Amino acid sequence: MGRGPANGRSVTLLPSRRVLDRLPAPTDALLMPERTLAALSVGEAATVREVGGDGTLAVRLLEMGFVPGTSVKLVKLAPLGDPMQFEVRGYHLSLRRAEAARIRVL
Amino acid sequence: MSREVKPIRVALAGNPNVGKTSLFNELTGSRHRVGNYAGVTVERREGDLADGLAASAKVTLLDLPGTYSLSPTSEDEALAYRVLTGEGEPAPDAVLLVVDATNLARNLYLALQLLELGRPLVVALNMVDDARALGLPSDAASLADALGVSVVATVARTGEGVSQLAAALAQAESAEHEPRLAAPGPDHVALCETLACLGGDSARARWLLTAGVAGTAAQFGATATELERLAAVDDAKARRACQELVATRYAEIEQMLVRLGSRRSDAGAPAMTRSQQIDRVLTHRALGLVIFAAVMSVVFVSIFTWAQPLMDAIEAGFGALSSSIGDALGPGMLTDLVTQGVIAGAGNVVVFVPQIALLFLFLGLLEDSGYMARAAFLMDRIMARLGLHGRAFIPLLSGYACAIPAILGTRTISSFKDRLVTILMIPYMSCSARLPIYSLVIGALFVTADEGASGDLERGGILLGMYALSTASALFVGWLYKRTILTSPTPPLVLELPPYRLPRVRNTLLIVYDRTADFVRNAGTVIVMLTIVLWGLLSFPRDQTGAGGEGPTRIAESWGGRAARTLEPALEPIGQDWRMGVGIIGSFAAREVLVGTLGLVYGMEADDDDPVELRRAIREDRDSATGKPRYTRLSGLALMVFFVYACQCMSTLSVVRRETRSWRWPAFMFVSMTALAYLAALVVYQGGRLLGYA
Ligand SMILES: Nc1nc2c(ncn2[C@@H]2O[C@H](COP(=O)(O)OP(=O)(O)O)[C@@H](O)[C@H]2O)c(=O)[nH]1
């Protein structure tokens, strides 16, 4: 119900960016296509592979429960398309698409 | 042991939204002292165990900021860690951790970190009412078994379990235990090796590891030796070790949960089921925004309509007080000092109380109900464009009502730089005190003989234009500062959307009281002082001849009046004369004072609400030399634009000083805004003249 366009947007917009991001590191990408939480569609669940990068954000995301093996579900998108609302470890957390893209999934 | 003399000091820790504040209030009987942690603007609340509860010992509770972890990823977490480990002040004798029984999977993370520290620990298993209703494990005894510390089941809303908790706290000191470090798994090689490099596994080594990966070790007080050790560890390896460390803790939690009897069916988020249904409406793609707009409108309309009668009553009260004291003392300088300086100053403070109290009442209710997080969720997209966090939206919007409570409301923004950007933006939002000025000018200069609907439309349009200008300027200034003097990356949004809960009004009222009292105490003194200074400027030197004493001449001859007349060459280019100059100086006490000051300049008792006479006087005032009207529509427009930008409010400046703990930022704010105001008015007036609107 009215969710179609939002899904469409997330799917059509992101692959091209991901392709660009992937260019410098082709070996890794060829073995395992890099998928992040930012690419989930509403209602879809995925399992965390790793949190990329360092800095306070990486530590915080880990500590909020995004450790490898955790199952995460995208619950909904905010009305303006961003941020995203995830279900993880029994609670709901909202992340911007940019932050969600730090979390790689299987 | 001298128990009577030395109370047991207990630090209260917990995730945000777990009922920590409610429990603190239950335990202390709502009596507490408010202060600040040394060096930071984080509020610090301390309270003694309520008399009815204090069993065998005296217990003092210290409320820590709500945090998800003790790793230094933010000021709050670093602070909590510092207090718990006794840096800067003696370590507390014990820790009381509040956990939310409906979400142990995440809440126990902090519990494990506290066990690592090895401080005596008591756990309050809160919200057991909700957990029971949801069929989640809520047995305190099994959790006590799993954690190895005493656990008391509580319902902070009703007070259930609070007396048992107090009894446990009285014995907390004896609950000494060895630091318990969740053991790394066999495949966590990077973690074991890295911890060995960092001086062996300990709570401190683990803290250092996360600080190293977060890049905050130096900022949050690692020693030189520690920094050296960190530098020796390979970055990629440290990252892997950090990931393994957090995974180790979560693995331990999962084992505990199994022992507690949580079932497979508890997967998902049982505590969120009802909230998710509510969110279907409240964060719905279209309806969510409409409802948000409606909620905000209700809040602001109520602030306007409910606060106004109170503010009028306060003003009338102080007016009556000052005239009866004036009568009692008889005319004279002392009387003027008391009535126009001290009493007027106190009035300038108290008059803000209704707006501050109402705004904090609403903010508190929205926060406790869980809606505030949704508001940030809804508005984050827009705020992120500026480089700010969704949480900055509501304080900013509050600026339309009054900058003072809005600036106090920025305390929910965790990064200091972003908080400062928001504080600097707020005074650009046209607050309610500018409205009387706009309506005076519009009412005086934008009326035509052939009155018609088009006149109303024009006046409404001009007013709307002023608000649009102010909003656009606030947004622009924020964008600019974020990229120039206060550069910092857009703060990440990692925002919990807690379950909706019915707020308790009593808790909110306590916060309202704290904030209001704090304003009166701290900003109030500065406001009273400045009012007295301003009174001095507009009343001295006194007329020596003794003949005058009339309002108009006295003001013209005062320092303020002389300053305005000296400044007249600078005022002319923006279409004003010394009279308006005096008004501008006088309005520094509060913008609405412009009306009264101009009244004095024109020698009339202006009725603030409907200054008909004053409007006519301004409209019909003519230059004695040329016979042309002194004020035109263009000069009126320039004056309004001046007030859109000018930070003509000493209360705002004193609150900014209080919140930033220095005069630097209020000084910057005043100078930059005044310069901008002058420039903008200049552009309007001179531009208008060039275009032929004389
Ligand atoms: N059902 C239930 N609600 C609670 C309980 N304790 C607190 N609350 C509610 O949870 C919300 C958050 O509480 P608060 O004390 O502000 O939490 P804090 O953010 O941890 O300080 C408020 O609406 C409280 O009324 C409890 O034990 N049971």
Side-chain angles (χ1 to χ4, degrees):
Chain A
M1 192 203 72
R3 293 255 160 79
N7 289 350
R9 197 162 56 213
S10 68
V11 173
T12 50
L13 201 144
L14 279 160
S16 60
R17 235 191 31 217
R18 281 212 320 282
V19 168
L20 284 179
D21 283 349
R22 220 165 56 193
L23 282 179
T27 42
D28 199 50
L30 282 178
L31 293 173
M32 190 175 285
E34 292 225 324
R35 218 170 115 74
T36 71
L37 280 186
L40 292 193
S41 42
V42 173
E44 194 188 352
T47 305
V48 175
R49 188 156 69 88
E50 65 171 347
V51 173
D54 51 13
T56 52
L57 178 60
V59 176
R60 164 153 298 185
L61 289 174
L62 280 171
E63 296 202 304
M64 293 306 279
F66 294 95
V67 294
T70 310
S71 154
V72 182
K73 188 170 111 184
L74 176 60
V75 178
K76 71 155 71 171
L77 300 177
L80 302 177
D82 200 23
M84 313 166 87
Q85 177 176 355
F86 293 102
E87 182 179 290
V88 56
R89 291 193 187 268
Y91 75 104
H92 283 205
L93 187 73
S94 107
L95 302 175
R96 291 194 199 111
R97 209 173 273 285
E99 278 107 45
R102 294 275 293 263
I103 303 173
R104 288 192 271 274
V105 295
L106 292 176
Chain B
M1 287 248 296
S2 50
R3 278 238 159 113
E4 270 84 276
V5 199
K6 219 174 137 277
I8 303 176
R9 292 177 60 248
V10 178
L12 185 57
N15 288 182
N17 309 309
V18 296
K20 198 157 71 71
T21 311
S22 312
L23 207 54
F24 179 87
N25 289 339
E26 284 293 328
L27 284 167
T28 58
S30 307
R31 278 175 306 132
H32 58 258
R33 306 171 284 280
V34 189
N36 276 98
Y37 285 100
V40 286
T41 45
V42 179
E43 200 173 86
R44 175 196 176 107
R45 304 197 315 148
E46 250 184 80
D48 299 328
L49 220 54
D51 293 335
L53 291 170
S56 52
K58 201 166 167 329
V59 177
T60 302
L61 280 174
L62 168 63
D63 195 11
L64 295 175
T67 61
Y68 293 104
S69 135
L70 294 176
S71 307
T73 57
S74 76
E75 179 90 55
D76 280 357
E77 280 149 0
L79 179 70
Y81 178 82
R82 270 206 303 275
V83 173
L84 290 170
T85 53
E87 267 175 65
E89 61 178 81
D93 301 309
V95 183
L96 169 58
L97 170 70
V98 188
V99 298
D100 174 355
T102 66
N103 184 297
L104 289 176
R106 194 203 62 227
N107 272 257
L108 288 182
Y109 189 83
L110 186 59
L112 290 195
Q113 284 187 315
L114 287 168
L115 286 176
E116 289 173 5
L117 283 180
R119 313 283 325 154
L121 179 66
V122 174
V123 172
L125 182 62
N126 196 34
M127 309 241 183
V128 283
D129 52 340
D130 283 355
R132 283 184 208 124
L134 292 164
L136 293 169
S138 55
D139 180 26
S142 349
L143 185 61
D145 246 14
L147 292 172
V149 300
S150 28
V151 177
V152 181
T154 58
V155 181
R157 273 183 84 84
T158 61
E160 181 189 326
V162 169
S163 52
Q164 288 94 309
L165 185 60
L169 288 179
Q171 293 161 11
E173 242 180 331
S174 58
E176 202 85 47
H177 66 92
E178 286 295 301
R180 266 187 44 199
L181 301 154
D187 49 344
H188 290 159
V189 186
L191 177 58
C192 295
E193 289 178 5
T194 311
L195 287 174
C197 289
L198 295 177
D201 196 0
S202 68
R204 183 67 186 182
R206 292 178 172 207
W207 178 88
L208 191 60
L209 170 60
T210 48
V213 175
T216 53
Q219 180 189 352
F220 290 130
T223 64
T225 338
E226 287 177 329
L227 290 176
E228 251 169 57
R229 285 180 179 160
L230 259 186
V233 180
D234 173 57
D235 277 356
K237 189 167 178 183
R239 272 207 298 274
R240 206 160 57 237
C242 179
Q243 194 140 326
E244 288 174 3
L245 170 63
V246 180
T248 297
R249 290 176 180 144
Y250 271 113
E252 174 108 349
I253 292 173
E254 267 156 34
Q255 281 176 10
M256 281 184 188
L257 288 179
V258 171
R259 274 205 277 159
L260 287 178
S262 79
R263 286 155 288 139
R264 230 30 247 110
S265 61
D266 296 340
M272 289 297 293
T273 325
R274 201 173 50 104
S275 302
Q276 236 176 305
Q277 275 156 9
I278 301 175
D279 269 338
R280 271 213 188 113
V281 182
L282 293 189
T283 60
H284 180 268
R285 299 190 62 190
L287 216 52
L289 293 175
V290 174
I291 293 175
F292 178 69
V295 169
M296 288 299 114
S297 316
V298 168
V299 168
F300 290 115
V301 170
S302 327
I303 290 178
F304 275 122
T305 53
W306 295 355
Q308 202 55 55
L310 289 172
M311 292 168 75
D312 290 347
I314 290 168
E315 275 171 355
F318 275 92
L321 181 68
S322 106
S323 62
S324 59
I325 288 185
D327 289 347
L329 291 179
M333 197 181 77
L334 182 70
T335 311
D336 285 356
L337 172 66
V338 171
T339 56
Q340 293 169 27
V342 179
I343 296 181
N348 281 344
V349 176
V350 179
V351 81
F352 286 113
V353 165
Q355 285 190 340
I356 292 179
L358 274 173
L359 188 70
F360 278 109
L361 179 68
F362 285 118
L363 294 187
L365 293 178
L366 292 178
E367 182 76 56
D368 281 359
S369 66
Y371 189 70
M372 202 63 128
R374 270 72 181 185
F377 179 67
L378 292 173
M379 286 300 118
D380 182 73
R381 181 83 192 255
I382 296 172
M383 298 314 288
R385 285 263 162 92
L386 291 174
L388 294 172
H389 192 280
R391 284 218 171 248
F393 184 82
I394 291 191
L396 211 53
L397 195 64
S398 313
Y400 281 130
C402 175
I404 316 282
I407 288 169
L408 296 176
T410 59
R411 288 186 185 176
T412 53
I413 302 170
S414 53
S415 136
F416 182 70
K417 274 190 179 175
D418 288 338
R419 191 163 166 229
L420 202 50
V421 170
T422 316
I423 288 177
L424 292 174
M425 287 168 79
I426 285 172
Y428 284 94
M429 311 292 282
S430 263
C431 66
S432 55
R434 267 119 146 171
L435 202 54
I437 300 177
Y438 299 151
S439 47
L440 174 72
V441 176
I442 294 177
L445 300 172
F446 290 84
V447 282
T448 28
D450 50 343
E451 268 298 284
S454 69
D456 279 342
L457 213 61
E458 184 194 39
R459 286 195 289 276
I462 290 172
L463 190 60
L464 198 66
M466 291 304 133
Y467 275 91
L469 182 66
S470 89
T471 311
S473 309
L475 296 180
F476 173 74
V477 159
W479 179 88
L480 183 73
Y481 288 167
K482 188 73 198 184
R483 271 152 199 78
T484 52
I485 51 172
L486 292 165
T487 39
S488 61
T490 305
L493 181 84
V494 182
L495 175 77
E496 183 187 357
L497 298 172
Y500 286 108
R501 295 207 161 90
L502 262 189
R504 291 228 5 226
V505 176
R506 194 175 59 122
N507 284 336
T508 312
L509 288 179
L510 280 169
I511 292 179
V512 168
Y513 175 79
D514 282 351
R515 292 285 156 87
T516 314
D518 181 70
F519 164 77
V520 170
R521 255 196 314 270
N522 290 295
T525 31
V526 179
I527 296 176
V528 171
M529 267 161 36
L530 289 178
T531 310
I532 294 173
V533 169
L534 210 59
W535 165 79
L537 278 181
L538 291 182
S539 359
F540 289 94
R542 298 237 131 187
D543 199 323
Q544 293 305 315
T545 63
E550 288 283 308
T553 35
R554 208 175 81 199
I555 284 190
E557 290 304 321
S558 71
W559 284 317
R562 286 182 206 181
R565 282 193 295 173
T566 320
L567 282 177
E568 198 160 48
L571 292 171
E572 255 163 33
I574 62 168
Q576 314 304 321
D577 64 356
W578 72 268
R579 274 162 260 256
M580 282 299 170
V582 175
I584 290 171
I585 295 175
S587 70
F588 191 58
R591 268 165 285 229
E592 60 272 33
V593 174
L594 175 77
V595 179
T597 314
L598 280 179
L600 277 182
V601 173
Y602 281 97
M604 57 184 65
E605 274 299 316
D607 178 354
D608 277 358
D609 290 328
D610 189 22
V612 188
E613 287 292 310
L614 182 57
R615 265 188 250 153
R616 175 149 7 101
I618 290 176
R619 193 180 316 143
E620 291 171 358
D621 198 0
R622 272 160 212 284
D623 196 318
S624 43
T626 60
K628 284 205 204 130
R630 224 193 284 270
Y631 304 107
T632 60
R633 287 174 161 224
L634 192 57
S635 62
L637 205 58
L639 185 67
M640 284 191 288
V641 169
F642 182 87
F643 272 102
V644 165
Y645 290 111
C647 188
Q648 286 293 111
C649 177
M650 61 185 189
S651 312
T652 301
L653 295 173
S654 38
V655 167
V656 173
R657 188 203 69 89
R658 153 103 185 113
E659 294 299 304
T660 60
R661 303 177 155 254
S662 88
W663 278 108
R664 214 175 87 202
W665 289 107
F668 170 77
M669 187 181 244
F670 177 69
V671 173
S672 64
M673 290 185 74
T674 307
L676 192 58
Y678 185 81
L679 266 177
L682 191 69
V683 168
V684 167
Y685 191 68
Q686 297 302 335
R689 295 230 325 210
L690 279 179
L691 294 176
Y693 302 99

PDB file of all heavy atoms in Angstrom, chain B residues 461-481:
ATOM      1  N   GLY B 461       0.824  39.823   3.992  1.00  0.00           N
ATOM      2  CA  GLY B 461       1.948  39.386   3.172  1.00  0.00           C
ATOM      3  C   GLY B 461       3.272  39.870   3.735  1.00  0.00           C
ATOM      4  O   GLY B 461       4.254  39.125   3.769  1.00  0.00           O
ATOM      5  N   ILE B 462       3.278  41.122   4.192  1.00  0.00           N
ATOM      6  CA  ILE B 462       4.529  41.656   4.742  1.00  0.00           C
ATOM      7  C   ILE B 462       4.927  40.893   6.000  1.00  0.00           C
ATOM      8  O   ILE B 462       6.083  40.498   6.174  1.00  0.00           O
ATOM      9  CB  ILE B 462       4.379  43.157   5.055  1.00  0.00           C
ATOM     10  CG1 ILE B 462       4.284  43.920   3.732  1.00  0.00           C
ATOM     11  CG2 ILE B 462       5.544  43.664   5.877  1.00  0.00           C
ATOM     12  CD1 ILE B 462       3.950  45.368   3.892  1.00  0.00           C
ATOM     13  N   LEU B 463       3.936  40.621   6.844  1.00  0.00           N
ATOM     14  CA  LEU B 463       4.217  39.884   8.071  1.00  0.00           C
ATOM     15  C   LEU B 463       4.770  38.495   7.738  1.00  0.00           C
ATOM     16  O   LEU B 463       5.780  38.048   8.283  1.00  0.00           O
ATOM     17  CB  LEU B 463       2.939  39.756   8.894  1.00  0.00           C
ATOM     18  CG  LEU B 463       3.123  39.221  10.309  1.00  0.00           C
ATOM     19  CD1 LEU B 463       4.031  40.139  11.101  1.00  0.00           C
ATOM     20  CD2 LEU B 463       1.785  39.062  11.000  1.00  0.00           C
ATOM     21  N   LEU B 464       4.099  37.835   6.810  1.00  0.00           N
ATOM     22  CA  LEU B 464       4.537  36.506   6.389  1.00  0.00           C
ATOM     23  C   LEU B 464       5.955  36.590   5.831  1.00  0.00           C
ATOM     24  O   LEU B 464       6.803  35.742   6.104  1.00  0.00           O
ATOM     25  CB  LEU B 464       3.592  35.975   5.316  1.00  0.00           C
ATOM     26  CG  LEU B 464       3.653  34.476   5.091  1.00  0.00           C
ATOM     27  CD1 LEU B 464       3.157  33.749   6.321  1.00  0.00           C
ATOM     28  CD2 LEU B 464       2.830  34.097   3.867  1.00  0.00           C
ATOM     29  N   GLY B 465       6.214  37.649   5.071  1.00  0.00           N
ATOM     30  CA  GLY B 465       7.539  37.846   4.492  1.00  0.00           C
ATOM     31  C   GLY B 465       8.614  37.923   5.564  1.00  0.00           C
ATOM     32  O   GLY B 465       9.697  37.356   5.420  1.00  0.00           O
ATOM     33  N   MET B 466       8.305  38.614   6.660  1.00  0.00           N
ATOM     34  CA  MET B 466       9.280  38.722   7.750  1.00  0.00           C
ATOM     35  C   MET B 466       9.581  37.340   8.331  1.00  0.00           C
ATOM     36  O   MET B 466      10.724  37.006   8.626  1.00  0.00           O
ATOM     37  CB  MET B 466       8.739  39.628   8.863  1.00  0.00           C
ATOM     38  CG  MET B 466       8.635  41.089   8.470  1.00  0.00           C
ATOM     39  SD  MET B 466      10.220  41.725   7.906  1.00  0.00           S
ATOM     40  CE  MET B 466       9.735  42.575   6.431  1.00  0.00           C
ATOM     41  N   TYR B 467       8.537  36.523   8.516  1.00  0.00           N
ATOM     42  CA  TYR B 467       8.756  35.176   9.055  1.00  0.00           C
ATOM     43  C   TYR B 467       9.528  34.318   8.068  1.00  0.00           C
ATOM     44  O   TYR B 467      10.418  33.551   8.452  1.00  0.00           O
ATOM     45  CB  TYR B 467       7.422  34.519   9.428  1.00  0.00           C
ATOM     46  CG  TYR B 467       6.978  34.920  10.806  1.00  0.00           C
ATOM     47  CD1 TYR B 467       6.157  36.021  11.004  1.00  0.00           C
ATOM     48  CD2 TYR B 467       7.421  34.228  11.919  1.00  0.00           C
ATOM     49  CE1 TYR B 467       5.782  36.417  12.272  1.00  0.00           C
ATOM     50  CE2 TYR B 467       7.050  34.607  13.196  1.00  0.00           C
ATOM     51  CZ  TYR B 467       6.232  35.700  13.374  1.00  0.00           C
ATOM     52  OH  TYR B 467       5.874  36.089  14.635  1.00  0.00           O
ATOM     53  N   ALA B 468       9.206  34.455   6.773  1.00  0.00           N
ATOM     54  CA  ALA B 468       9.921  33.670   5.770  1.00  0.00           C
ATOM     55  C   ALA B 468      11.389  34.071   5.756  1.00  0.00           C
ATOM     56  O   ALA B 468      12.287  33.222   5.729  1.00  0.00           O
ATOM     57  CB  ALA B 468       9.297  33.883   4.394  1.00  0.00           C
ATOM     58  N   LEU B 469      11.624  35.377   5.818  1.00  0.00           N
ATOM     59  CA  LEU B 469      13.002  35.872   5.819  1.00  0.00           C
ATOM     60  C   LEU B 469      13.766  35.315   7.011  1.00  0.00           C
ATOM     61  O   LEU B 469      14.911  34.864   6.894  1.00  0.00           O
ATOM     62  CB  LEU B 469      12.992  37.404   5.864  1.00  0.00           C
ATOM     63  CG  LEU B 469      14.357  38.080   5.826  1.00  0.00           C
ATOM     64  CD1 LEU B 469      15.026  37.823   4.501  1.00  0.00           C
ATOM     65  CD2 LEU B 469      14.204  39.579   6.055  1.00  0.00           C
ATOM     66  N   SER B 470      13.119  35.330   8.169  1.00  0.00           N
ATOM     67  CA  SER B 470      13.811  34.880   9.368  1.00  0.00           C
ATOM     68  C   SER B 470      14.116  33.385   9.285  1.00  0.00           C
ATOM     69  O   SER B 470      15.199  32.944   9.648  1.00  0.00           O
ATOM     70  CB  SER B 470      13.002  35.219  10.618  1.00  0.00           C
ATOM     71  OG  SER B 470      12.112  34.193  10.936  1.00  0.00           O
ATOM     72  N   THR B 471      13.162  32.615   8.775  1.00  0.00           N
ATOM     73  CA  THR B 471      13.391  31.172   8.685  1.00  0.00           C
ATOM     74  C   THR B 471      14.518  30.870   7.702  1.00  0.00           C
ATOM     75  O   THR B 471      15.438  30.100   8.009  1.00  0.00           O
ATOM     76  CB  THR B 471      12.110  30.457   8.222  1.00  0.00           C
ATOM     77  OG1 THR B 471      11.033  30.925   9.027  1.00  0.00           O
ATOM     78  CG2 THR B 471      12.243  28.969   8.341  1.00  0.00           C
ATOM     79  N   ALA B 472      14.442  31.503   6.523  1.00  0.00           N
ATOM     80  CA  ALA B 472      15.472  31.264   5.519  1.00  0.00           C
ATOM     81  C   ALA B 472      16.839  31.651   6.068  1.00  0.00           C
ATOM     82  O   ALA B 472      17.828  30.946   5.861  1.00  0.00           O
ATOM     83  CB  ALA B 472      15.156  32.053   4.250  1.00  0.00           C
ATOM     84  N   SER B 473      16.886  32.773   6.795  1.00  0.00           N
ATOM     85  CA  SER B 473      18.170  33.211   7.326  1.00  0.00           C
ATOM     86  C   SER B 473      18.700  32.233   8.359  1.00  0.00           C
ATOM     87  O   SER B 473      19.896  31.933   8.380  1.00  0.00           O
ATOM     88  CB  SER B 473      18.030  34.587   7.970  1.00  0.00           C
ATOM     89  OG  SER B 473      17.412  35.467   7.079  1.00  0.00           O
ATOM     90  N   ALA B 474      17.825  31.729   9.228  1.00  0.00           N
ATOM     91  CA  ALA B 474      18.262  30.769  10.239  1.00  0.00           C
ATOM     92  C   ALA B 474      18.870  29.542   9.555  1.00  0.00           C
ATOM     93  O   ALA B 474      19.957  29.090   9.925  1.00  0.00           O
ATOM     94  CB  ALA B 474      17.100  30.354  11.125  1.00  0.00           C
ATOM     95  N   LEU B 475      18.175  29.041   8.551  1.00  0.00           N
ATOM     96  CA  LEU B 475      18.673  27.845   7.870  1.00  0.00           C
ATOM     97  C   LEU B 475      20.002  28.135   7.187  1.00  0.00           C
ATOM     98  O   LEU B 475      20.949  27.355   7.256  1.00  0.00           O
ATOM     99  CB  LEU B 475      17.650  27.347   6.835  1.00  0.00           C
ATOM    100  CG  LEU B 475      16.320  26.880   7.426  1.00  0.00           C
ATOM    101  CD1 LEU B 475      15.377  26.402   6.340  1.00  0.00           C
ATOM    102  CD2 LEU B 475      16.541  25.779   8.457  1.00  0.00           C
ATOM    103  N   PHE B 476      20.086  29.309   6.552  1.00  0.00           N
ATOM    104  CA  PHE B 476      21.322  29.652   5.855  1.00  0.00           C
ATOM    105  C   PHE B 476      22.487  29.776   6.834  1.00  0.00           C
ATOM    106  O   PHE B 476      23.584  29.250   6.604  1.00  0.00           O
ATOM    107  CB  PHE B 476      21.155  30.955   5.078  1.00  0.00           C
ATOM    108  CG  PHE B 476      22.447  31.432   4.479  1.00  0.00           C
ATOM    109  CD1 PHE B 476      22.975  30.787   3.370  1.00  0.00           C
ATOM    110  CD2 PHE B 476      23.143  32.478   5.044  1.00  0.00           C
ATOM    111  CE1 PHE B 476      24.184  31.198   2.831  1.00  0.00           C
ATOM    112  CE2 PHE B 476      24.361  32.893   4.511  1.00  0.00           C
ATOM    113  CZ  PHE B 476      24.880  32.249   3.401  1.00  0.00           C
ATOM    114  N   VAL B 477      22.234  30.464   7.947  1.00  0.00           N
ATOM    115  CA  VAL B 477      23.290  30.661   8.934  1.00  0.00           C
ATOM    116  C   VAL B 477      23.782  29.317   9.472  1.00  0.00           C
ATOM    117  O   VAL B 477      24.995  29.087   9.623  1.00  0.00           O
ATOM    118  CB  VAL B 477      22.756  31.551  10.071  1.00  0.00           C
ATOM    119  CG1 VAL B 477      23.570  31.386  11.317  1.00  0.00           C
ATOM    120  CG2 VAL B 477      22.751  32.996   9.628  1.00  0.00           C
ATOM    121  N   GLY B 478      22.853  28.407   9.729  1.00  0.00           N
ATOM    122  CA  GLY B 478      23.236  27.082  10.212  1.00  0.00           C
ATOM    123  C   GLY B 478      24.117  26.371   9.196  1.00  0.00           C
ATOM    124  O   GLY B 478      25.169  25.825   9.534  1.00  0.00           O
ATOM    125  N   TRP B 479      23.671  26.425   7.962  1.00  0.00           N
ATOM    126  CA  TRP B 479      24.427  25.786   6.883  1.00  0.00           C
ATOM    127  C   TRP B 479      25.831  26.383   6.807  1.00  0.00           C
ATOM    128  O   TRP B 479      26.825  25.676   6.705  1.00  0.00           O
ATOM    129  CB  TRP B 479      23.649  26.015   5.577  1.00  0.00           C
ATOM    130  CG  TRP B 479      24.289  25.453   4.357  1.00  0.00           C
ATOM    131  CD1 TRP B 479      24.126  24.189   3.859  1.00  0.00           C
ATOM    132  CD2 TRP B 479      25.182  26.136   3.461  1.00  0.00           C
ATOM    133  NE1 TRP B 479      24.876  24.045   2.732  1.00  0.00           N
ATOM    134  CE2 TRP B 479      25.541  25.215   2.451  1.00  0.00           C
ATOM    135  CE3 TRP B 479      25.721  27.421   3.435  1.00  0.00           C
ATOM    136  CZ2 TRP B 479      26.400  25.546   1.425  1.00  0.00           C
ATOM    137  CZ3 TRP B 479      26.580  27.754   2.403  1.00  0.00           C
ATOM    138  CH2 TRP B 479      26.904  26.821   1.408  1.00  0.00           C
ATOM    139  N   LEU B 480      25.898  27.701   6.926  1.00  0.00           N
ATOM    140  CA  LEU B 480      27.174  28.410   6.806  1.00  0.00           C
ATOM    141  C   LEU B 480      28.118  28.055   7.964  1.00  0.00           C
ATOM    142  O   LEU B 480      29.270  27.681   7.748  1.00  0.00           O
ATOM    143  CB  LEU B 480      26.915  29.911   6.786  1.00  0.00           C
ATOM    144  CG  LEU B 480      28.136  30.792   6.593  1.00  0.00           C
ATOM    145  CD1 LEU B 480      28.605  30.695   5.149  1.00  0.00           C
ATOM    146  CD2 LEU B 480      27.819  32.242   6.940  1.00  0.00           C
ATOM    147  N   TYR B 481      27.615  28.168   9.198  1.00  0.00           N
ATOM    148  CA  TYR B 481      28.465  27.912  10.356  1.00  0.00           C
ATOM    149  C   TYR B 481      28.970  26.485  10.356  1.00  0.00           C
ATOM    150  O   TYR B 481      30.098  26.208  10.724  1.00  0.00           O
ATOM    151  CB  TYR B 481      27.710  28.202  11.659  1.00  0.00           C
ATOM    152  CG  TYR B 481      27.493  29.670  11.902  1.00  0.00           C
ATOM    153  CD1 TYR B 481      26.615  30.104  12.882  1.00  0.00           C
ATOM    154  CD2 TYR B 481      28.165  30.623  11.160  1.00  0.00           C
ATOM    155  CE1 TYR B 481      26.411  31.450  13.118  1.00  0.00           C
ATOM    156  CE2 TYR B 481      27.965  31.968  11.382  1.00  0.00           C
ATOM    157  CZ  TYR B 481      27.079  32.381  12.353  1.00  0.00           C
ATOM    158  OH  TYR B 481      26.869  33.709  12.577  1.00  0.00           O
TER     159      TYR B 481
END
